[in-house]
Amino acid sequence: YAAVATGFALAVTLPRAGNLAGGGFMVIHLAGGKKTIALDYREMAPMASERSMFLDKKGDADKQLSRYSALSSGVPGTVAGLVHAQANYGTLTLKEVIQPAIMLARDGFPVNVDLSNSLASRFERLSKNSASKSYFFKENGEFYQPGEFFVQTHLANTLERISKDGVSGFYEGHTAQLIVDEMRRLGGLISEDDLKNYRVVTREPVCGIFHKNTICAMPPPSSGGVHLIQMLNILEGWDLKSLGHNSAAYIHRLTEVMRRAYADRSAYLGDPDFYSVPIDQIVHKEYADSLRSGISLVKATASTDIQPGLGIDPETLILNSGHGDKESSETTHFSTWDRWGNVVSNTTTLNFSYGNGISIPGAGFLMNNEMDDFSAKPGTPNAFGLLGGAANAVEPYKRPLSSMTPAIVFDEKGLPLLVTGSPGGSTIITTVLQTILNVLVFEMGIAEASSVPRIHHQWFPDKLLFESGVSPDTLSILSDMGHDISDVDYVIGATQSIQRGSNGTILGAPDPRRPGAGAVPQ
Ligand code: GLY
């Protein structure tokens, strides 16, 4: 229940990413049956969506439309996801788990420095929408200062409706009407039927074995789990520990592995209800061996020399689905672990910070701009620079491909050892990968594993990104090997993790990269 209560509370206290009208993924390990499941509450494209809906008259991708217009919103999944998790796996009632969120919204809570700065920095975008302007700034347009109370009455009313009526309190009745009215007014596509037809999908997590440990993570429509396991498979063939953490030899291998995984991502990953994602082939150990054997240990490969590696024409994997009749960089992650060993890894998002900036008047929440995660046009990158094609083209009721990677690592006995995940758009998968390697290979405690500098490569752009703290000597060796190195002026990921220590102690660690996070003992 802690996970569901946290999900609702974040919709109040972290409006940039916590949400009611976004989507996400929850990987749940149930201690009793030693069972792990993956809940998909990702947004769906509205029924009236079309493949070319984000192209302008010249046939080019129109970023304004896919990121900031009402068309950028997919049908929200979060409320359905949280209510489903509570009903099927929770121990308290829905009323009990929503109550703290209602109180936070109705009575207000003191604004912290993070929220104050974050809202002020987005004034331009949020104030273009009159509902957002009234919800997130004072009546005279002034910013909320740290310590001042932030009250969200309309949001409290919406949460009350959900508390009383469950999913119908959001997907039908007054809340649904407010959403549909605003979509109509602004030219969005979400209809009454789209909201009524939204479905949470329970999926098998994608799991792999790395040396002695099993790792389970989110399957498609996230690319996270598949490529996490693929990258671990390739890396398993080298003695990484002897190379040393963040040595040039280690970073080179990581980079080459990331380059190949993201090439595959561009071609073979999409919503599995619409596209036959070749998961088994991508996570096969033999495929990992063949990719590893193509990696030079002394020289960087140019990304232009790497293509998706399975040798399958991506177009042949399109399913003739009767779309919709099947169940089918700013995100936030939380991890929970109870005393019985039930573990939840949850990543949720509106896509950008504050989504598309459009709030629903009277309902008090922001809409997502998740439609930008579809591939608007083959070969044209989305906001995270990610490429895609037919596998991730827009289709009615399809879910856009994600990078969110909620993950759980198990020990040899099948007991949870580490639960982790991160925001960060395209850098999520590589962040989770490095956190897991830091714990499993370099034997770091979770606080250190969360803090040490990270790198990122995603095939295109062909740049090896690094955070401050990677030694200049190391960077010079990598540059000599042919890597185009580039320091980031932002951070790579921001994990929220829990680890079981060697003496059985449960240790939580918020990533120090971003403010406002914490660990609370059970
Ligand atoms: N919207 C970012 C992601 O889902 O990967």
Side-chain angles (χ1 to χ4, degrees), residues 303-321:
S303 286
T304 44
D305 290 339
I306 297 292
Q307 293 304 318
L310 284 179
I312 306 172
D313 176 357
E315 299 271 347
T316 61
L317 299 172
I318 297 171
L319 296 172
N320 290 324
S321 84

Side-chain angles (χ1 to χ4, degrees), residues 52-57 60-74 186-188 352 356 358 368-372 376:
S52 60
M53 65 189 278
F54 297 120
L55 300 183
D56 63 17
K57 286 198 187 92
D60 293 329
D62 183 334
K63 294 179 190 160
Q64 171 62 30
L65 275 188
S66 66
R67 298 177 192 178
Y68 304 111
S69 79
L71 287 176
S72 67
S73 294
L186 297 176
F352 285 14
N356 54 14
I358 298 173
N368 68 80
N369 61 346
E370 219 70 62
M371 296 289 281
D372 189 62

Side-chain angles (χ1 to χ4, degrees), residues 482-506:
H483 292 284
D484 184 349
I485 59 171
S486 180
D487 59 340
V488 287
D489 52 7
Y490 51 92
V491 293
I492 297 177
T495 52
Q496 305 298 333
S497 314
I498 309 176
Q499 176 188 27
R500 178 162 49 84
S502 50
N503 61 359
T505 321
I506 307 299

Side-chain angles (χ1 to χ4, degrees), residues 25 42 265 331 349-352 370 373 384 401-404 425-426 428:
F25 302 123
R42 182 75 162 165
R265 184 191 190 281
T331 302
T349 192
L350 289 165
N351 195 17
F352 285 14
E370 219 70 62
D373 274 348
F384 301 106
L401 183 60
S402 172
S403 299
M404 293 190 284
S426 59
I428 293 174

